[in-house]
């Protein structure tokens, strides 16, 4: 194995062991996976992390498949490779994460479309406007921040009224399926975006109404009427294009991402169920299957015969 890459691997293992405090079994699993990865790179003349390209990562995954590795095993290897490359980027040993675009093999079950945290950040930033007079830009930014902050359905987003939002407590009353109401918190990013929109954007939109204005609605269209579901789709599509996200997006993408990121962050399924307004916890449990990194770490750590 290449000496320079071995040194980087050693630093990474120290990081996950000492700084992140991962279980010994998890650290050893990373060690085994990365030993195989770095050995493969060495066999292909790669002795410096800056030489690695996305094509190398893809070729390594193909080599695992040709060697008869199962989809689950390949997903675990890729999770380790992803973690290693994110560490290298964070430590500024490489200019970018060349593994980011490589996806884990499908395991047969269809799961909701989810953006990772970086993609959500890019999407939300793409919706922002630097022009304080851009009423539509302020609305779009507030809308997407609100949807990601609350995990609401598109029907709930367009149905929100001004008096549903409590800015002092940072909670919103959402009207879910079957007329069921629930209170959902939102954070500072959404609060600031909503306040900017209410201060500088919504008055301009409300002033464009011909006839009766939608005095209660939070999100308005160019005619001063309540925003429609179709318009929300268009807002997300435009932001996705500007963020260079090269896959179809829909309003539920932010809802799926909200739930997934909460689960990945340690939230329990019952809490996420309440936030999403799911009638059954079984509906929410699908989100526990989306984070292979987390599941693999937990499995390796907890299962008595995983080592």
């Amino acid at each position: 194995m290449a000496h320079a890459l071995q040194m980087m691997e050693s630093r990474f293992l120290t990081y996950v062991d000492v700084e992140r405090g991962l279980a010994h079994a998890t650290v050893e699993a990373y060690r085994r996976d990365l030993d195989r990865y770095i050995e493969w790179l060495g066999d292909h003349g790669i002795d410096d992390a800056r030489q690695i390209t996305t094509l190398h990562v893809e070729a390594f995954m193909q080599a695992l498949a040709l060697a008869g590795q199962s989809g689950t095993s390949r997903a675990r290897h890729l999770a380790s490779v992803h973690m290693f490359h994110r560490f290298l980027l964070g430590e500024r040993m490489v200019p970018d994460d060349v593994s980011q675009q490589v996806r884990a093999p499908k395991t047969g079950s269809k799961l909701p479309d989810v953006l990772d945290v970086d993609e959500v950040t890019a999407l939300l930033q793409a919706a922002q406007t630097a022009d304080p007079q851009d009423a539509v830009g302020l609305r779009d930014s507030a809308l997407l921040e609100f949807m990601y902050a609350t995990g609401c359905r598109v029907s709930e987003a367009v149905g929100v009224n001004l008096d549903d939002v409590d800015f002092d407590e940072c909670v919103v009353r959402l009207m879910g399926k079957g007329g069921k109401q629930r209170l959902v918190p939102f954070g500072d990013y959404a609060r600031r975006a909503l306040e900017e929109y209410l201060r500088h954007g919504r008055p301009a939109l409300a002033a464009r109404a011909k006839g009766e204005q939608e005095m209660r609605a939070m999100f308005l269209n160019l005619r001063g009427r309540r925003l429609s579901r179709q318009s929300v789709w268009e807002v997300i599509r435009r932001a996705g294009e500007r963020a260079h996200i090269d896959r179809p997006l829909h309003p539920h993408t932010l809802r799926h991402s909200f739930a997934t990121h909460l689960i990945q962050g340690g939230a329990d399924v019952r809490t996420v169920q309440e936030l999403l307004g799911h009638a059954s916890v079984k509906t929410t449990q699908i989100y526990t299957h989306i984070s292979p990194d987390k599941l693999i770490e937990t499995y390796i750590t907890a299962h008595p015969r995983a080592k």
Side-chain angles (χ1 to χ4, degrees), residues 17-299:
D17 182 21
V18 177
E19 295 189 34
R20 291 197 56 190
L22 299 184
H24 175 72
T26 304
V27 176
E28 287 304 305
Y30 280 132
R31 185 191 307 277
R32 289 192 299 271
D33 293 343
L34 293 177
D35 280 351
R36 184 164 189 169
Y37 178 52
I38 291 173
E39 181 178 9
W40 184 91
L41 290 170
D43 290 342
H44 289 77
I46 305 298
D47 57 8
D48 188 314
R50 290 167 296 185
Q51 296 175 299
I52 306 172
T53 67
T54 300
L55 291 177
H56 289 124
V57 181
E58 291 174 341
F60 172 67
M61 295 304 298
Q62 291 172 357
L64 293 179
L66 291 173
Q69 293 284 331
S70 67
T72 301
S73 178
R74 282 179 282 142
R76 191 200 69 234
H77 276 81
L78 184 58
S80 298
V81 170
H82 278 319
M83 187 74 77
F84 180 54
H85 278 282
R86 285 198 293 270
F87 169 78
L88 296 178
L89 179 62
E91 293 294 306
R92 298 184 178 180
M93 300 181 194
V94 294
D96 48 30
D97 178 1
V98 298
S99 74
Q100 186 176 16
Q101 301 302 318
V102 182
R103 303 298 178 190
K106 294 182 179 179
T107 56
S109 60
K110 182 166 178 59
L111 301 171
D113 295 329
V114 173
L115 301 177
D116 62 32
V117 174
D118 289 340
E119 288 174 320
V120 169
T121 300
L123 182 73
L124 298 178
Q125 289 177 343
Q128 293 175 0
T129 175
D131 181 0
Q133 304 304 315
D134 180 6
V136 171
L138 291 170
R139 181 204 64 195
D140 292 352
S141 178
L143 173 66
L144 297 191
E145 287 282 4
F146 176 79
M147 293 183 71
Y148 178 59
T150 63
C152 64
R153 302 176 178 93
V154 62
S155 59
E156 295 168 347
V158 299
V160 167
N161 294 320
L162 295 173
D163 58 5
D164 289 327
V165 182
D166 184 336
F167 285 97
D168 292 330
E169 298 295 330
C170 283
V171 295
V172 60
R173 180 175 61 239
L174 296 177
M175 183 70 71
K177 292 182 177 179
K180 294 182 180 179
Q181 294 186 10
R182 68 187 188 280
L183 289 178
V184 178
F186 56 88
D188 286 342
Y189 285 92
R191 178 182 58 78
R192 288 194 295 268
L194 286 169
E195 288 176 343
E196 282 295 301
Y197 162 64
L198 291 174
R199 188 179 300 116
H200 301 294
R202 188 180 182 281
L205 295 176
R208 297 176 184 178
K210 295 179 180 178
E212 183 181 353
Q213 297 184 15
E214 290 272 11
M215 298 303 296
R216 299 179 62 208
M218 172 65 75
F219 298 109
L220 302 178
N221 63 20
L222 284 172
R223 297 185 301 277
R225 299 301 180 96
R226 188 181 295 271
L227 199 66
S228 68
R229 297 186 189 190
Q230 291 78 11
S231 295
V232 177
W233 278 75
E234 182 63 19
V235 170
I236 292 178
R237 185 192 66 79
R238 289 198 306 265
E241 287 182 352
R242 290 196 293 269
H244 305 294
I245 297 174
D246 58 353
R247 46 197 167 112
L249 299 179
H250 50 84
H252 252 50
T253 301
L254 285 175
R255 180 169 164 86
H256 296 325
S257 302
F258 163 88
T260 303
H261 298 165
L262 282 176
I263 294 289
Q264 291 175 341
D268 64 90
V269 176
R270 291 284 183 183
T271 298
V272 177
Q273 176 195 359
E274 292 296 323
L275 292 172
L276 291 173
H278 284 160
S280 170
V281 73
K282 291 182 180 179
T283 309
T284 314
Q285 283 175 332
I286 188 171
Y287 296 106
T288 65
H289 300 293
I290 295 178
S291 174
D293 291 7
K294 189 72 175 178
L295 287 180
I296 290 165
E297 279 187 17
T298 302
Y299 175 82

